[in-house]
Amino acid sequence: MSRLRNLSLFLVLAAVWGSAFVAIKAGLAYFPPVTFAALRYDVAGVVMLAYAAYAVDDPIPRGRDQWLEVASGAVFIIAAYHSFLFIGETDPAVTSAVAAVIVSLSPLLTTVFARALLPAERLTAVGALGLAIGLVGAVVLANPDPANLTGGGTGAKLLVLLAAASFALGSVLSRASKADISIETMEAWSMLLGAGLTHLLAFGLGESVVDTVWTTESLLALGYLSVVASGIGFLIYFDLLDRLGPIEINLVSYVAPVFAAVVGWLLLDEGITATTVAGFLIICVGFGLVKRDAIRDELRAAGVLG
């Protein structure tokens, strides 16, 4: 039952976060990018704080260790990840599927950070080869023009890659933390603090809320990202992070592009190029090498291998 529960939550998370790339792309037609990210977590943070007040005995972080875990989530998982991602998706070359595929590098990047910060997480020579192959996949996906490295969306794709790295580092720091804090409390305060940091960044970039165009579509995009993708999505994410660890849970990044591609095609008429598919497949090969032992164990447990 536990395995089925984890699998079901995993697929729900992949669907929610895959379609979130499409909601971001749609909402960017109405919001300045970093302001959009900040508003998303203004709403999500309030929703999650209300839920934390209902679900746990003490919804306020206590002590240095708990606030450090909140701060790491706010800086890396909320502010840095979403600012880089939202800015990157403003480029027409970065479709929902492309953004999701680049973010699918997160498990490989997580391995690098886990190797440095979590002694139990080891990277073998074959694993290092897998990481290198995964990075090659990112280069193929970016498809840079040597004569114009900032053209063709290359710069925007690199920003999305920085977003993936930020998320991976935040995941490992959360796993490494020794703080005894509830998921609900940590998530709510990370969102609120992250929203504040993102607003500061938006102000520094010259963005303003008054530049937002309020329509039914913009409200739907903001509501979906705030309540479903952020509130419900991160609650599932941190629950699975505690059960599976940072490398396994970030495998959601390999399923999310499928949902992003399908929903992007249905709602935004986005196409999928051969380069996108090739980059994704190369990244999957890299992941297979990095996590070959875990994959073998899962296949044996399922009775596929003897």
Side-chain angles (χ1 to χ4, degrees), residues 147-282:
N148 182 17
L149 291 179
T150 60
T154 301
K157 293 170 185 175
L158 289 176
L159 288 177
V160 179
L161 178 59
L162 285 175
S166 299
F167 194 94
L169 178 57
S171 298
V172 173
L173 290 175
S174 178
R175 181 70 171 180
S177 173
K178 303 301 182 182
D180 183 17
I181 182 172
S182 70
I183 294 172
E184 297 86 352
T185 299
M186 189 273 292
E187 181 178 347
W189 287 96
S190 290
M191 287 180 176
L192 290 171
L193 180 57
L197 293 173
T198 310
H199 274 296
L200 288 176
L201 178 59
F203 177 78
L205 293 174
E207 294 185 5
S208 174
V209 177
V210 299
D211 295 326
T212 297
V213 179
W214 296 105
T215 66
T216 301
E217 290 78 7
S218 64
L219 288 173
L220 285 173
L222 180 61
Y224 182 82
L225 290 171
S226 301
V227 178
V228 181
S230 298
I232 297 175
F234 272 102
L235 193 62
I236 295 173
Y237 171 79
F238 284 113
D239 178 60
L240 291 178
L241 176 63
D242 185 60
R243 295 170 180 271
L244 304 178
I247 294 177
E248 274 72 17
I249 181 51
N250 278 342
L251 300 184
V252 72
S253 301
Y254 286 89
V255 183
V258 177
F259 290 96
V262 172
V263 177
W265 173 66
L266 290 174
L267 299 183
L268 302 181
D269 197 27
E270 293 180 337
I272 303 175
T273 67
T275 301
T276 301
V277 175
F280 178 63
L281 292 176
I282 294 172

Side-chain angles (χ1 to χ4, degrees), residues 33-244:
V34 181
T35 300
F36 188 16
L39 289 173
R40 169 183 180 176
Y41 283 102
D42 286 336
V43 178
V46 171
V47 170
M48 287 310 303
L49 185 59
Y51 178 75
Y54 164 78
V56 301
D57 294 331
D58 187 2
I60 300 176
R62 307 291 180 180
R64 177 175 174 273
D65 288 343
Q66 290 191 4
W67 278 110
L68 281 176
E69 182 167 351
V70 166
S72 67
V75 170
F76 296 105
I77 294 179
I78 304 300
Y81 170 69
H82 291 89
S83 295
F84 286 133
L85 175 62
F86 278 52
I87 295 173
E89 281 209 58
T90 60
D91 193 306
V94 182
T95 64
S96 305
V98 167
V101 170
I102 295 174
V103 170
S104 73
L105 270 170
S106 183
L108 298 180
L109 298 173
T110 298
T111 302
V112 175
F113 294 124
R115 178 66 181 87
L117 300 175
L118 301 177
E121 302 284 351
R122 297 183 303 156
L123 186 63
T124 64
V126 175
L129 175 62
L131 177 62
I133 291 175
L135 294 177
V136 168
V139 173
V140 170
L141 184 64
N143 193 25
D145 178 2
N148 182 17
L149 291 179
T150 60
T154 301
K157 293 170 185 175
L158 289 176
L159 288 177
V160 179
L161 178 59
L162 285 175
S166 299
F167 194 94
L169 178 57
S171 298
V172 173
L173 290 175
S174 178
R175 181 70 171 180
S177 173
K178 303 301 182 182
D180 183 17
I181 182 172
S182 70
I183 294 172
E184 297 86 352
T185 299
M186 189 273 292
E187 181 178 347
W189 287 96
S190 290
M191 287 180 176
L192 290 171
L193 180 57
L197 293 173
T198 310
H199 274 296
L200 288 176
L201 178 59
F203 177 78
L205 293 174
E207 294 185 5
S208 174
V209 177
V210 299
D211 295 326
T212 297
V213 179
W214 296 105
T215 66
T216 301
E217 290 78 7
S218 64
L219 288 173
L220 285 173
L222 180 61
Y224 182 82
L225 290 171
S226 301
V227 178
V228 181
S230 298
I232 297 175
F234 272 102
L235 193 62
I236 295 173
Y237 171 79
F238 284 113
D239 178 60
L240 291 178
L241 176 63
D242 185 60
R243 295 170 180 271
L244 304 178

